[in-house]
Amino acid sequence: YIKAISAYLIALIARWRDVIFPNETKDIGSKLRALASSTMPTAIETLCSQEWIQLLMSTTIKETLVCISTSAAISDNRHSVMLARGPGAMDARLSAQQAVQRTRAETFKKFVEVWEGEYVNISMSSKWLAALSKEASRRTLSIAAQGENRNRSEQAWEKYMRDLQAAKCLMVKVKDEGESTRLGINSFESGRRRRYRLSRTATVHKPRLTHMAPVDKNAIEIKLPVREQVDISDDEDDEILLTPQKSVNKEELNEVMAATAALAVAANLGEVKKSNHECAATMVTPLELFAGKFAISDSEMTFTTIDASRAWVWPLETLHQVQSRRYLLRRSALELFMLDRQTYFIDFGSAEQRRQVFRVLIKLRPKNFIPLYLETSKPEALLRKSDITSRWIRREISNFDYLMALNTLAGRSYQDITQYPVFPWVITDYTSETLDLNDPAVYRDLRKPIGALNPTRLERIKERYEFFDDPEIPKFHYGSHYSSSGTVLYYLLRIDPFTTLAYELQGGKFDHADRLFHSVASTWKSCYNDMSDVKELIPEFFYLPEMFKNVNNIDFGVNQKGEKVHDAVLPPWAKSPEDFVEKQREALESEFVSKNLHHWVDLIFGYKQRGKAAESACNVFYYMTYEGAVDVEGIKDPLLLKATQDQIACFGQTPSQLLTVPHPGRQRAADSITGSHWLFDNDNGVSNYALPVPNYGENRASFMNVLPTGQLVVVSPTLEMKIHRFVPNLPGSSGVPFTFDAAKEQSTLGSLMGSIRRKAGFHDVAESIKFAAKLDPKLLSSGMTLPCAAIPNGRFLIVAGHADNSLKVYNNETGAVENAKIGHRAPVVALELSNDGRVLATGSADGTVGIWLVKLPAEKVTIGENVRETIAPIIRINENNIFNDGSTVADVIETAADIATNVFTKATLQGPISLCKGHGEAISSLALNTNLDLLLAVSPFAGASFYSIMKGQLFTKIPSLAGSLCAISDEGFVIIWNERTWTIKVASINGDIITSMSLIEKCPKLTTMTVSSDGYRLAAGTEEVNGQVAVIAFDLPSLNVRQRWDFESQSDITQLVLTADNTNLLAAAYDGSIRLFNDPSISARSFNQMLQAGWTNVV
């Protein structure tokens, strides 16, 4: 409803401008009307400023909102509000009430059809006025307008303002925005299930139903011990005497009425929904449990709390996946995974009710719903069906991703802190000044549970286990658990919503400072020595440095040593929280951990979790932590049931068992055929080769890309394109560790690759193609990278930079223009395409950023990430990958923009779906990452602007991150090169600068950058100096130089491209030369493994 209510607020302010702006000398009516007709991101940006927030929370606006939306009687002392609405307002209200009685439900349905069908592609104001022009619409609007009572209207208004603030305050620090809200973890997940983002949330302390102990009602009114807060809802406008506006603008009055009606219509659309299934349910969140009703109609799912104070509505087309979950050891819950990366945990109370809900969803077949498994499948069966383990063994995914996948399959959820994802301690040295990750002594023994690491403690545990004798309680080694709600609150104390929950559970105060998470070293010491402390880690330890910072400046007290508990005390070898997290993650991905991680998996998710193997491994926990140990559904006594559930919630829950046999180990890095380590961690093995590019008439290279189809696309500044055949790590006829056939010298289809390509449905391109276009002369200057994007299927090329400000899609086979669109008022100077080729971002010289959808003709062949996956149906079936690497972003945009899913016969650009303004300078560089839902635009003076791709909205703008080149890492880093200051910076997606390095006298100017797929390596190319250029590889986020390759060239490097498997790096120079970097030793191994995997079936 944000569109309707935002414009309604604008209309209200226009109506009351004489009261709100008593000292304004200029007429602001035109400015307000311009704001009303602007795009939603611009309007919301303005409404969220501090000035307008105070304005909108004024009593004047609030009471006017209530009066209009409820058509309620107004008290005498506020009668001027009604009078100020203009002549005849009272009569109009009475007429509206009579119209309400005359209108029937059929009229309402008819209006909805018109509203959703006829009023398209026009401004909101025009839409409202068009609706008012029809008598039936006016009557229906009046019905809707009286639908809400005063209290609900006020509640909705307050919530809307809080939501506006939270949306706008992303990445803004406390000191800049005040203390009425606090920084917390945003529930948005990246495609790899990380929650990097922080957002502001309102701090509201109230009685609430939680997973754990009841709230102490006597402590409800106690406030957090933070600096004095400012409640923006307490306005000083109460004392202003309202006076009628001097003149009544009929147009503005109509807009107010129309906006009110439109808002009410939006709120009442749900009245015509038919329910297919309704049941009682509980929504589980980290902070609170919401009891209510879950319903499914033909078009949406809804959850409404019992008191109707809150409601969630999810269109069915936004549902992506559903996975079964336990709740308090009962298989009674589902977790909904939405296209926009939000997840919702719903408990239905019983397995049968959950089964019914799932059946209804399967029957309805939502558009984007992917049922990864049948609801009756057990977690261990899901793991067997998936290929996630084999991918980990082959090193196609990281250790972190594999652990996250196992946690997800085993029922662990970010939403339920009683069964939060669990990760291992991997480092044991938290006291040394330096940390050598090549030394095995710094690592924890992953073959043993955390409680068995200390030999002295283990002997005491064994002794207690042997002598334990209870007729009802089975023996156990540990009375506490390695993962519980208390563990989660302990680690995430410094960030909301966990700060609020920890505060409320202690009755309006925090626990004693000595029991809080104060020091990493002391926490490890406790876990190693204490008989009752065996907690493992949580995922955030490996990606969220903010969890170690007191970002909200909360007073946690002073411990017995007189130390103030503030930021977490880090080991001496960690320079900062970011450095600590970087080393933690490096240790997790180390060769030592890779070689031993499967032993820890056996303990937590595998065959050593239960039975004799668990006893032998000293890995037995209290019986109530295991699924099936207690028949919860069979307990009829409500008091006993509550006590049992409380005990389960507090003690912790063992994950669902995924394996009953030993887990296989991971192959060595030296035996793998993928990964950036072949390039960046390979000191002496990397060779470079000059590709034999013929001397064409136009040899310059302004754009280059390697496609999954085995094609190397090169485009010159004059739009002459060559498509060479290039297959990395496949030995060529000349003995080089790659196959390369230039565009005019391609071998026959009888060759090996010709056979593969023919069976995959591809055709060879024999000649170069010249595209007809008139480009902006500024883009033709020497060394400029042409704004181009090659569609992954190899059939189309998107070219920007045209003098007429257009974007054009060219057919690579015919050279014809398939589609042309204009979305900016100046030439497009930057272009970025998502990895799946479905989302396009454009940056213009006018400072605007556009987001587009790319629609392609139906393909006969599904293109994979590389040539091997192009023929995936022959080699293997890649199924049940639980990750969502940006593949749903285009679906979210399409759904939000209400774009019809037509079948296209030509490549088509749709959009701009969103046109983002406010950057303030011509765009120098763009970077797009659908995995993180992040679009980054930079300029030399205006700084960096962060946008949400799915919402088309500005997150934040950071002037200190000015630059001329930018890139985004999948691990949540943004990299910006500033040519003016010769500085390269790395920042988090929350806007914190992590590393800044001056490259003066260290290397020439950087001309291009690319990031490895693992997110921890940056490759940069330089300009030509004295006949030399360089390719430099940096570690992220530290910017330590990992590799540097210098070679001769007569022109700047214009493009760097990593192949999909990250084993090959190509560097194109402006003069058309292309150089390849790789380790030749993997070529033969790669070819042999592909043959063994099934390539012989193709050739």
Side-chain angles (χ1 to χ4, degrees):
Y1 316 137
I2 198 166
K3 291 185 177 181
I5 198 167
S6 297
Y8 176 34
L9 302 180
I10 296 170
L12 280 177
I13 293 170
R15 183 69 196 142
W16 285 95
R17 59 178 178 266
D18 285 358
V19 175
I20 296 169
F21 303 106
N23 300 322
E24 184 70 41
T25 56
K26 298 181 180 179
D27 180 19
I28 63 168
S30 59
K31 184 185 299 184
L32 289 168
R33 283 190 290 273
L35 184 59
S37 60
S38 64
T39 62
M40 266 309 104
T42 301
I44 294 173
E45 180 81 13
T46 305
L47 287 171
C48 290
S49 65
Q50 191 66 31
E51 175 188 0
W52 281 66
I53 286 175
Q54 292 177 353
L55 168 68
L56 295 174
M57 292 302 292
S58 68
T59 304
T60 303
I61 300 299
K62 269 197 289 191
E63 293 212 8
T64 306
L65 173 79
V66 172
C67 291
I68 297 177
S69 65
T70 62
S71 295
I74 301 175
S75 59
D76 294 338
N77 62 334
R78 307 302 290 177
H79 190 66
S80 57
V81 174
M82 180 61 73
L83 294 178
R85 290 167 60 189
M90 296 295 291
D91 294 339
R93 182 169 65 87
L94 293 175
S95 299
Q97 290 174 339
Q98 294 173 0
V100 168
Q101 299 173 0
R102 294 195 302 265
T103 307
R104 300 178 180 179
E106 289 77 13
T107 308
F108 179 80
K109 292 180 181 179
K110 182 178 179 181
F111 171 76
V112 171
E113 293 174 359
V114 174
W115 180 266
E116 295 181 340
E118 293 184 10
Y119 304 145
V120 295
N121 299 324
I122 60 176
S123 68
M124 282 182 294
S125 296
S126 300
K127 191 171 184 176
W128 305 324
L129 294 175
L132 285 176
S133 66
K134 297 186 176 182
E135 182 181 357
S137 298
R138 287 196 300 272
R139 290 200 305 268
T140 306
L141 294 176
S142 299
I143 290 179
Q146 101 156 12
E148 296 291 333
N149 59 49
R150 179 187 181 98
N151 292 335
R152 292 187 62 183
S153 179
E154 287 183 330
Q155 291 173 3
W157 168 239
E158 299 282 353
K159 179 183 181 301
Y160 172 71
M161 289 312 303
R162 289 197 300 269
D163 290 345
L164 276 181
Q165 293 177 67
K168 177 63 175 64
C169 291
L170 182 65
M171 305 185 218
V172 181
K173 295 188 178 298
V174 178
K175 62 182 181 181
D176 298 327
E177 198 70 8
E179 299 171 355
S180 57
T181 56
R182 288 213 301 260
L183 277 173
I185 296 179
N186 192 296
S187 59
F188 169 85
E189 296 182 8
S190 75
R192 312 302 285 181
R193 301 221 63 192
R194 276 85 139 172
R195 299 188 300 172
Y196 293 108
R197 287 185 186 159
L198 303 183
S199 61
R200 293 206 170 271
T201 55
T203 305
V204 179
H205 296 291
K206 63 179 183 178
R208 64 178 96 243
L209 181 62
T210 68
H211 306 267
M212 303 172 67
V215 178
D216 182 358
K217 295 184 178 181
N218 295 325
I220 297 301
E221 299 301 324
I222 300 177
K223 295 185 178 180
L224 281 172
V226 296
R227 297 192 301 268
E228 183 180 355
Q229 299 187 0
V230 179
D231 186 356
I232 59 174
S233 65
D234 294 332
D235 290 290
E236 299 177 358
D237 294 353
D238 292 341
E239 302 302 322
I240 297 179
L241 296 176
L242 298 181
T243 55
Q245 199 167 299
K246 297 178 181 178
S247 61
V248 177
N249 186 314
K250 186 176 181 181
E251 179 182 353
E252 291 175 357
L253 182 59
N254 286 340
E255 286 191 0
V256 172
M257 294 172 60
T260 306
L263 174 61
V265 168
N268 284 276
L269 285 177
E271 292 182 0
V272 297
K273 307 297 182 184
K274 176 184 176 182
S275 176
N276 288 302
H277 184 81
E278 291 185 4
C279 62
T282 301
M283 176 177 286
V284 179
T285 71
L287 180 61
E288 190 170 358
L289 305 179
F290 296 97
K293 181 180 70 175
F294 182 83
I296 308 175
S297 71
D298 290 337
S299 59
E300 65 188 20
M301 301 177 296
T302 61
F303 180 86
T304 307
T305 56
I306 292 177
D307 60 0
S309 61
R310 295 194 65 178
W312 289 260
V313 180
W314 307 285
L316 282 178
E317 59 188 3
T318 65
L319 179 64
H320 182 51
Q321 295 178 19
V322 174
Q323 296 193 25
S324 64
R325 291 286 180 262
R326 300 178 311 179
Y327 183 62
L328 299 179
L329 297 182
R330 293 186 302 179
R331 293 186 177 273
S332 58
L334 292 174
E335 189 163 13
L336 311 179
F337 291 77
M338 315 308 289
L339 289 176
D340 62 0
R341 312 271 181 72
Q342 300 285 347
T343 63
Y344 301 91
F345 193 110
I346 311 291
D347 175 48
F348 297 97
S350 68
E352 177 57 31
Q353 189 61 252
R354 180 184 73 173
R355 192 175 297 113
Q356 291 181 24
V357 171
F358 190 85
R359 287 172 178 169
V360 171
L361 290 174
I362 293 295
K363 182 179 179 180
L364 290 173
R365 297 181 180 179
K367 173 185 172 183
N368 297 302
F369 180 43
I370 303 176
L372 293 182
Y373 58 88
L374 295 177
E375 188 269 342
T376 54
S377 295
K378 295 181 179 180
E380 60 268 28
L382 301 181
L383 181 63
R384 287 197 304 269
K385 292 177 182 178
S386 75
D387 69 338
I388 202 74
T389 298
S390 59
R391 291 185 64 197
W392 174 75
I393 292 172
R394 294 191 302 267
R395 289 182 173 261
E396 294 177 9
I397 62 174
S398 67
N399 289 338
F400 183 98
D401 287 339
Y402 186 54
L403 290 177
M404 200 68 236
L406 293 179
N407 273 283
T408 302
L409 292 174
R412 314 300 281 188
S413 171
Y414 282 127
Q415 299 300 324
D416 183 3
I417 63 172
T418 68
Q419 44 183 352
Y420 207 76
V422 56
F423 272 61
W425 286 94
V426 292
I427 297 175
T428 60
D429 182 0
Y430 295 98
T431 58
S432 299
E433 293 293 330
T434 59
L435 182 68
D436 182 8
L437 292 177
N438 294 317
D439 182 5
V442 305
Y443 292 98
R444 167 254 184 104
D445 188 349
L446 290 166
R447 296 170 299 177
K448 300 177 181 180
I450 189 75
L453 293 177
N454 185 333
T456 303
R457 179 175 64 173
L458 180 59
E459 287 302 317
R460 297 171 59 192
I461 289 173
K462 285 182 176 180
E463 181 180 354
R464 185 178 62 183
Y465 181 83
E466 292 299 327
F467 286 98
F468 183 84
D469 185 17
D470 191 289
E472 297 181 356
I473 300 177
K475 289 185 175 183
F476 58 90
H477 291 109
Y478 314 106
S480 59
H481 204 260
Y482 51 78
S483 176
S484 66
S485 52
T487 299
V488 178
L489 292 180
Y490 177 81
Y491 286 130
L492 295 177
L493 173 71
R494 290 167 173 80
I495 197 160
D496 259 338
F498 307 98
T499 305
T500 299
L501 183 55
Y503 174 79
E504 293 181 349
L505 288 174
Q506 291 294 326
K509 61 182 180 181
F510 292 109
D511 199 358
H512 193 281
D514 289 279
R515 291 193 288 267
L516 300 180
F517 178 35
H518 173 56
S519 163
V520 176
S522 62
T523 299
W524 164 251
K525 183 178 179 180
S526 174
C527 292
Y528 188 76
N529 295 307
D530 197 316
M531 290 288 290
S532 62
D533 190 355
V534 292
K535 56 178 171 284
E536 293 277 14
L537 298 182
I538 56 176
E540 288 82 355
F541 243 79
F542 300 92
Y543 71 79
L544 190 69
E546 287 84 0
M547 69 169 282
F548 303 100
K549 305 175 185 178
N550 189 359
V551 292
N552 292 306
N553 198 28
I554 292 175
D555 183 3
F556 293 112
V558 179
N559 62 22
Q560 292 181 356
K561 296 180 181 180
E563 301 169 332
K564 182 178 176 61
V565 178
H566 189 57
D567 294 341
V569 178
L570 302 175
W573 47 258
K575 301 175 184 177
S576 65
E578 289 79 11
D579 185 49
F580 175 76
V581 169
E582 178 187 2
K583 288 183 170 66
Q584 280 281 123
R585 183 61 189 277
E586 188 177 352
L588 181 65
E589 304 299 338
S590 67
E591 191 63 26
F592 179 90
V593 173
S594 295
K595 185 170 63 175
N596 293 283
L597 187 59
H598 62 287
H599 296 302
W600 187 83
V601 172
D602 285 333
L603 293 167
I604 306 301
F605 304 103
Y607 81 105
K608 292 183 179 180
Q609 184 194 92
R610 299 180 179 218
K612 294 295 183 182
E615 293 180 23
S616 300
C618 298
N619 193 41
V620 180
F621 292 85
Y622 189 67
Y623 78 104
M624 289 190 69
T625 66
Y626 293 96
E627 181 181 8
V630 179
D631 182 12
V632 180
E633 294 189 6
I635 300 176
K636 305 303 180 183
D637 184 346
L639 294 178
L640 179 60
L641 177 61
K642 181 65 168 60
T644 303
Q645 291 177 333
D646 288 345
Q647 196 168 7
I648 292 172
C650 293
F651 267 76
Q653 300 176 54
T654 300
S656 296
Q657 191 172 21
L658 299 179
L659 292 164
T660 55
V661 295
H663 191 291
R666 198 182 199 194
Q667 69 177 191
R668 297 184 310 152
D671 296 330
S672 67
I673 59 172
T674 64
S676 63
H677 61 275
W678 283 109
L679 279 172
F680 305 124
D681 299 335
N682 196 349
D683 293 334
N684 301 314
V686 176
S687 302
N688 68 84
Y689 305 86
L691 297 188
V693 179
N695 187 17
Y696 299 103
E698 170 58 284
N699 238 50
R700 294 176 296 171
S702 190
F703 170 81
M704 177 187 68
N705 200 8
V706 178
L707 302 181
T709 54
Q711 295 169 301
L712 175 62
V713 178
V714 180
V715 182
S716 75
T718 57
L719 287 187
E720 185 171 319
M721 181 185 69
K722 294 96 177 175
I723 301 182
H724 310 292
R725 183 186 302 147
F726 172 72
V727 184
N729 301 333
L730 185 66
S733 58
S734 58
V736 293
F738 57 88
T739 296
F740 178 83
D741 290 323
K744 290 186 178 180
E745 299 176 352
Q746 293 178 359
S747 58
T748 65
L749 290 177
S751 67
L752 170 66
M753 283 309 300
S755 175
I756 293 173
R757 288 172 52 75
R758 185 173 66 255
K759 292 202 174 192
F762 300 113
H763 302 282
D764 291 314
V765 180
E767 297 181 356
S768 62
I769 295 176
K770 178 68 180 292
F771 299 124
K774 183 179 179 181
L775 298 180
D776 183 7
K778 295 180 182 178
L779 292 176
L780 300 179
S781 61
S782 177
M784 287 285 290
T785 300
L786 193 66
C788 290
I791 302 297
N793 65 8
R795 294 177 55 192
F796 305 100
L797 185 75
I798 303 173
V799 181
H802 300 280
D804 62 357
N805 308 336
S806 67
L807 290 169
K808 290 185 172 64
V809 182
Y810 292 94
N811 188 304
N812 290 349
E813 297 178 359
T814 65
V817 176
E818 293 262 326
N819 188 238
K821 287 289 181 68
I822 298 177
H824 300 271
R825 296 182 179 181
V828 175
V829 294
L831 205 64
E832 275 292 306
L833 185 67
S834 62
N835 290 335
D836 62 0
R838 300 177 63 194
V839 181
L840 178 73
T842 55
S844 171
D846 64 6
T848 58
V849 175
I851 299 174
W852 309 66
L853 289 180
V854 180
K855 294 293 185 177
L856 301 177
E859 294 284 349
K860 295 182 180 180
V861 179
T862 300
I863 308 302
E865 293 183 344
N866 47 45
V867 175
R868 182 183 181 191
E869 296 209 358
T870 298
I871 53 175
I874 300 174
I875 297 177
R876 60 179 169 83
I877 298 176
N878 180 9
E879 58 178 320
N880 294 346
N881 184 346
I882 68 166
F883 296 119
N884 169 17
D885 298 332
S887 59
T888 64
V889 170
D891 297 321
V892 173
I893 298 173
E894 192 172 82
T895 300
D898 198 22
I899 296 175
T901 55
N902 301 325
V903 177
F904 293 86
T905 57
K906 291 185 176 182
T908 304
L909 295 176
Q910 290 191 317
I913 307 301
S914 299
L915 188 63
C916 306
K917 302 178 181 179
H919 182 72
E921 187 183 4
I923 306 299
S924 295
S925 179
L926 286 177
L928 179 147
N929 190 303
T930 52
N931 180 36
L932 300 173
D933 183 34
L934 181 62
L935 173 59
L936 179 66
V938 299
S939 296
F941 298 97
S945 295
F946 295 67
Y947 301 94
S948 165
I949 304 170
M950 289 189 282
K951 296 180 179 180
Q953 294 178 357
L954 177 71
F955 282 147
T956 191
K957 184 177 176 182
I958 303 178
S960 60
L961 291 177
S964 50
L965 292 175
C966 64
I968 302 175
S969 159
D970 261 357
E971 291 300 322
F973 310 126
V974 298
I975 307 97
I976 296 173
W977 160 252
N978 191 326
E979 182 180 335
R980 292 191 306 111
T981 60
W982 223 268
T983 302
I984 186 170
K985 294 180 180 180
V986 178
S988 72
I989 65 172
N990 290 312
D992 295 321
I993 297 177
I994 301 172
T995 311
S996 179
M997 176 186 292
S998 173
L999 298 183
I1000 296 175
E1001 298 182 356
K1002 294 181 180 179
C1003 70
K1005 180 184 73 174
L1006 302 186
T1007 56
T1008 182
M1009 299 190 303
T1010 188
V1011 180
S1012 61
S1013 59
D1014 63 13
Y1016 284 101
R1017 300 288 185 270
L1018 170 73
T1022 70
E1023 67 177 353
E1024 176 269 331
V1025 176
N1026 299 324
Q1028 290 280 322
V1029 294
V1031 174
I1032 307 172
F1034 300 90
D1035 288 338
L1036 293 177
S1038 65
L1039 289 179
N1040 294 327
V1041 175
R1042 173 69 62 168
Q1043 294 279 13
R1044 175 167 176 159
W1045 300 291
D1046 293 276
F1047 56 94
E1048 294 183 358
S1049 176
Q1050 298 305 311
S1051 60
D1052 301 344
I1053 296 176
T1054 55
Q1055 197 105 33
L1056 290 178
V1057 177
L1058 280 162
T1059 54
D1061 59 7
N1062 276 221
T1063 58
N1064 290 250
L1065 176 67
L1066 291 97
Y1070 189 72
D1071 61 8
S1073 62
I1074 302 175
R1075 193 166 290 267
L1076 172 70
F1077 298 85
N1078 74 0
D1079 186 332
S1081 68
I1082 68 171
S1083 177
R1085 184 187 300 114
S1086 175
F1087 186 60
N1088 288 335
Q1089 288 195 16
M1090 285 188 285
L1091 286 176
Q1092 294 172 8
W1095 276 50
T1096 52
N1097 295 330
V1098 181
V1099 298

